[in-house]
Amino acid sequence: MKKITIILSCIILFTTSCNSSKETKKGEKTTTSKYVTESHSYAQPNAAVVKHLNLNITVDFDQEVISGSANYSIENNNATEIILDSKFLDIQKTEADGKETKFALGEFDKHLGQALKITITPETKNITVYYKTTNKTEALQWLKPQQTADKKHPFLFTQGQAILTRTWIPIQDSPQIRVTYEATVKAPTGLMAVMSAENPKEKTKNGLYHFKMEQPISPYLIALAVGDVEYKAISNRTGVYAEKSMLAKVHTEFSDMEKMVTTAEGLYGNYAWEQFDVIVLPPSFPFGGMENPRLTFATPTVIAGDKSLTSLVAHELAHSWSGNLVTNATWDDFWLNEGFTVYFEIRIMEALYGKERAEMLALIGRQDLEDELISFKDSPNDTKLKLDLKDRNPDDGMNSIAYDKGYLFLRTLEQTVGREKLDAFLKNYFNSHSFSTMHTEKFVTYLNNNLLDKYNITFNTNEWVYKPGIPSNQAKIESDKFKNVELTLQDVLKNNSANTEATKEWTPQEWVHFIRNFPKNMEIKHFEMLDNTYNLTNSTNSYISMVWFEQAILHNYRGHDIDDKIEQFLCNVGRRWYVTTIFKAYVKSSKKEEAINIYKKSRANYHSVTSNTIDNLLNYSQ
Ligand code: BES
Ligand code: ZN
């Protein structure tokens, strides 16, 4: 009897301490649970949950295998098994409190992988999994020296978001779970290992590295890179890692990083992670950037030489609040990570470089959103902020809706309540939910209680969040610079002559806007004239190249050896957004055969995230 009372009061205490009765997504089942049900993890964290990871691994470049053990302290609610997520891992042995114990792997699902069920007792406090990665691993990309900047040493990096961490560490791979971690990594001598943790600034002689992440983070944020990189500080808490031949350029490009952190802190409160560094990876990295805590991973395609693409750093930095501190509870709530981050990013850019630059960024996003709405015209449910990605790859939610509709929601909210009130609200929001997770319903309640009802403001939040499309009260984004670009474009087309006076001072964003707005019926002679004047086929700005190549393909422009240039670009750069935009242009203009011929050559250079997307786009199977 006494025991039952204790258990009951524990449950009550547990429940009230996390407001869970209001948090529920699907009603009664979760009313007494801390964690919501979610469709992209097999874990049952309400029964037993991992709290601290001690990772001990060897990185073997010859075999292209990571092997070792993942040891966890667990919080055990009287469970007799603990379930981890695992995909394409070779599980060798499991232990509970140091003694070998049974495990079983569940049925394989192409997105989720397998449940790894480990037998424990209600008293178990600690488990260990001995494992190896396999050649099917999706998180890891093993690069040959030829794929790096310096071409001398191999390179390895991981990409965990959204559900790939389970392909290199057996773990409860749900964003609502948080772990602190420490790691011991054995790398080949001569290479440096870095993680989303406290990092070395020099190589060690024996290739052995120890890491500590003392703040609890979601599993998708555990990251590792191993390569011949060096560190150069920008300030006492910011700096860059890059290969030797890139280090100086990267350092100059990102020299405003300390100012960015200070500006961000001025907006929404102190930076919680002590150190903010960026590592510039080889060009096959599938994203622009990835906000791994303390160490953002970034593509070299943003090193333009003129700081024109550094809003990416502002974006990843902003995730230190929206995403890493307050984390989307499930991938259906992804807009809470990305929409808030785009808003925050643009605010940082505005504070540092002025309204004009910020409005250009916002307007580029607005056009991306318009394009995305068209691409989703047959699946309106995908244009809701709150998604339902059950039985789908959470990557399907990584599109302009979460980013740019999410931004537009906050921007419209700002216009409605005023910047001062929104800023105070956001600062409190981050502060009061730090190191915890957020789902859409909980956010809407918090918004009502702490902003809208508080000031008696009417706002159509539900329409924005739960309905498809863009509500009619959307904020209008305007840029005089872009209006000018549009006038110049009309003028250039009418006269078929470049206007070098008008374009003299253009920033890459203005060029991007100019090129993206070429009319459907633009003629080859216009492409030739522009290419002769501005040498756009050989632009050194990757963003300009991408949109120019896209238009060239759509309009069948073949001058200036552009076909070779496009092929080179696609064989070198693996950034999914760029690669997809270009391959889509081939498909859209009925040149799929050409696309497949290039893809046959470029595919081997891509990380699985990119090759999976392009395989689907081109219906390609190896
Ligand atoms: N967290 C994302 C990258 C991501 C999202 C990876 C979902 C896997 C699944 C990152 O912060 C991001 O948004 N990167 C953008 C750049 C940004 C400036 C819009 C990218 O990679 O293009
Ligand atoms: Zn982001």
Side-chain angles (χ1 to χ4, degrees):
M1 184 66 194
K2 202 169 161 208
K3 205 168 166 192
I4 292 175
T5 332
I6 294 173
I7 293 171
L8 258 175
S9 49
C10 279
I11 292 176
I12 291 165
L13 234 156
F14 205 50
T15 315
T16 42
S17 72
C18 31
N19 291 331
S20 57
S21 56
K22 276 189 187 163
E23 289 175 17
T24 56
K25 200 168 66 166
K26 294 215 173 88
E28 70 293 342
K29 216 173 156 193
T30 47
T31 42
T32 54
S33 312
K34 182 171 175 184
Y35 299 96
V36 296
T37 335
E38 79 122 324
S39 38
H40 297 109
S41 168
Y42 290 110
Q44 298 289 340
N46 290 311
V49 63
V50 296
K51 285 285 165 188
H52 178 80
L53 162 66
N54 193 340
L55 188 69
N56 203 322
I57 52 173
T58 301
V59 178
D60 181 342
F61 277 93
D62 295 331
Q63 305 291 320
E64 301 193 335
V65 162
I66 286 181
S67 61
S69 61
N71 168 279
Y72 293 100
S73 318
I74 64 170
E75 198 173 271
N76 186 346
N77 261 329
N78 267 315
T80 52
E81 75 174 7
I82 181 164
I83 305 178
L84 310 190
D85 295 295
S86 153
K87 192 179 184 191
F88 301 134
L89 290 176
D90 176 5
I91 308 292
Q92 297 164 324
K93 186 172 83 168
T94 53
E95 289 173 356
D97 289 332
K99 288 204 194 75
E100 185 159 358
T101 185
K102 276 199 273 187
F103 69 88
L105 283 162
E107 213 175 294
F108 180 86
D109 174 276
K110 67 175 191 291
H111 302 307
L112 308 185
Q114 291 171 287
L116 169 59
K117 300 176 182 172
I118 302 171
T119 305
I120 57 173
T121 69
E123 287 74 42
T124 303
K125 301 235 159 357
N126 196 286
I127 56 162
T128 309
V129 183
Y130 295 86
Y131 73 99
K132 268 186 182 171
T133 61
T134 62
N135 61 8
K136 290 207 171 98
T137 175
E138 294 170 305
L140 305 177
Q141 193 178 12
W142 299 92
L143 299 174
K144 304 280 180 231
Q146 203 48 36
Q147 294 168 283
T148 67
D150 293 356
K151 320 240 177 275
K152 287 197 197 109
H153 297 278
F155 206 108
L156 166 73
F157 65 82
T158 66
Q159 168 59 39
Q161 198 178 14
I163 53 169
L164 302 182
T165 298
R166 65 191 68 178
T167 76
W168 77 283
I169 307 174
I171 196 164
Q172 292 184 318
D173 196 7
S174 162
Q176 62 186 323
I177 290 183
R178 297 183 100 85
V179 292
T180 49
Y181 77 84
E182 58 201 291
T184 302
V185 177
K186 175 79 181 76
T189 49
L191 300 189
M192 177 135 62
V194 287
M195 292 190 80
S196 50
E198 206 174 322
N199 273 312
K201 296 194 167 145
E202 305 271 346
K203 290 183 189 120
T204 60
K205 287 217 171 65
N206 57 5
L208 205 57
Y209 295 88
H210 299 285
F211 301 92
K212 243 188 191 162
M213 168 44 84
E214 287 178 327
Q215 288 109 319
I217 62 170
S218 290
Y220 74 90
L221 294 169
I222 302 176
L224 168 71
V226 181
D228 185 17
V229 294
E230 292 179 18
Y231 182 73
K232 194 165 179 197
I234 289 167
S235 67
N236 60 4
R237 59 167 173 175
T238 66
V240 292
Y241 290 87
E243 292 181 65
K244 202 186 195 74
S245 66
M246 303 268 297
L247 193 64
K249 257 199 276 178
V250 168
H251 188 265
T252 313
E253 197 83 17
F254 293 163
S255 61
D256 288 349
M257 249 162 65
E258 172 58 37
K259 277 191 243 163
M260 281 188 180
V261 181
T262 317
T263 306
E265 289 189 307
L267 284 166
Y268 300 128
N270 287 346
Y271 180 72
W273 310 87
E274 289 174 38
Q275 189 75 23
F276 179 69
D277 293 327
V278 176
I279 179 169
V280 173
L281 296 167
S284 68
F285 183 59
F287 295 105
M290 177 64 217
E291 66 273 23
N292 299 314
R294 296 182 71 115
L295 181 64
T296 280
F297 284 19
T299 168
T301 60
V302 293
I303 311 301
D306 58 2
K307 301 189 181 181
S308 58
L309 304 179
T310 57
S311 60
L312 178 111
V313 176
H315 178 97
E316 304 314 332
L317 169 65
H319 274 305
S320 305
W321 288 259
S322 42
N324 299 359
L325 207 53
V326 185
T327 309
N328 53 205
T330 79
W331 297 114
D332 293 346
D333 309 299
F334 183 56
W335 76 279
L336 293 176
N337 271 19
E338 296 300 342
F340 281 61
T341 296
V342 173
Y343 180 79
F344 196 168
E345 164 201 337
I346 292 179
R347 290 295 304 277
I348 295 171
M349 295 304 283
E350 179 187 324
L352 268 180
Y353 307 110
K355 190 114 193 141
E356 240 168 27
R357 182 149 176 199
E359 289 305 272
M360 287 195 275
L361 284 175
L363 213 45
I364 287 180
R366 187 63 190 80
Q367 189 171 352
D368 291 338
L369 178 57
E370 215 46 50
D371 295 347
E372 201 74 281
L373 290 167
I374 293 168
S375 80
F376 283 139
K377 65 177 187 315
D378 297 326
S379 51
N381 284 340
D382 284 334
T383 70
K384 296 174 180 172
L385 285 176
K386 164 80 187 206
L387 295 172
D388 180 5
L389 296 168
K390 189 165 169 12
D391 299 326
R392 292 171 69 179
N393 189 330
D395 258 21
D396 288 1
M398 199 211 167
N399 57 55
S400 183
I401 302 302
Y403 288 77
D404 301 307
K405 184 179 172 184
Y407 168 78
L408 198 56
F409 162 76
L410 285 166
R411 170 86 183 238
T412 306
L413 194 58
E414 177 193 319
Q415 184 179 283
T416 310
V417 306
R419 187 173 267 197
E420 206 179 316
K421 287 198 178 71
L422 182 67
D423 280 355
F425 165 79
L426 288 176
K427 194 169 176 175
N428 264 326
Y429 168 70
F430 292 131
N431 188 33
S432 57
H433 297 93
S434 59
F435 299 105
S436 72
T437 46
M438 183 57 62
H439 52 84
T440 301
E441 293 72 13
K442 186 171 162 188
F443 170 74
V444 171
T445 306
Y446 184 82
L447 173 68
N448 285 334
N449 292 344
N450 294 278
L451 185 64
L452 300 176
D453 295 351
K454 186 170 162 188
Y455 297 108
N456 220 350
I457 297 165
T458 318
F459 191 74
N460 52 341
T461 315
N462 285 343
E463 184 185 357
W464 274 95
V465 173
Y466 300 112
K467 296 265 152 66
I470 310 298
S472 58
N473 64 330
Q474 62 178 294
K476 200 161 182 309
I477 303 162
E478 282 182 311
S479 153
D480 288 344
K481 293 255 173 201
F482 276 7
K483 278 192 193 135
N484 226 354
V485 167
E486 287 154 29
L487 291 176
T488 306
L489 176 58
Q490 282 174 18
D491 187 51
V492 162
L493 294 179
K494 203 168 87 204
N495 305 321
N496 192 27
S497 98
N499 184 344
T500 45
E501 195 47 40
T503 59
K504 202 167 61 191
E505 307 269 307
W506 276 7
T507 58
Q509 280 70 28
E510 286 159 287
W511 278 109
V512 165
H513 190 66
F514 178 78
I515 296 167
R516 277 178 93 184
N517 286 287
F518 287 172
K520 280 213 175 68
N521 61 0
M522 181 145 141
E523 294 169 49
I524 299 294
K525 67 175 187 200
H526 296 131
F527 278 87
E528 274 160 2
M529 179 271 299
L530 288 170
D531 216 2
N532 288 337
T533 315
Y534 299 111
N535 199 10
L536 290 162
T537 295
N538 293 303
S539 170
T540 52
N541 186 293
S542 64
Y543 198 2
I544 295 177
S545 303
M546 192 263 287
V547 290
W548 174 253
F549 292 162
E550 179 190 23
Q551 292 289 8
I553 296 164
L554 290 174
H555 290 87
N556 221 5
Y557 168 63
R558 307 258 171 180
H560 284 233
D561 291 330
I562 195 166
D563 288 334
D564 293 346
K565 297 284 156 42
I566 296 175
E567 186 171 318
Q568 269 169 32
F569 188 90
L570 290 171
C571 286
N572 179 41
V573 174
R575 186 175 180 182
R576 178 168 66 175
W577 170 41
Y578 283 5
V579 171
T580 310
T581 306
I582 296 175
F583 278 122
K584 268 191 186 156
Y586 282 110
V587 174
K588 213 168 146 189
S589 54
S590 311
K591 293 193 273 280
K592 193 167 150 188
E593 281 308 303
E594 252 178 83
I596 287 179
N597 283 337
I598 299 175
Y599 189 47
K600 281 182 182 157
K601 298 179 216 166
S602 66
R603 190 179 184 279
N605 189 43
Y606 296 157
H607 184 275
S608 73
V609 156
T610 301
S611 56
N612 283 340
T613 302
I614 307 301
D615 286 353
N616 285 335
L617 177 71
L618 301 178
N619 289 321
Y620 182 88
S621 61
Q622 250 185 333

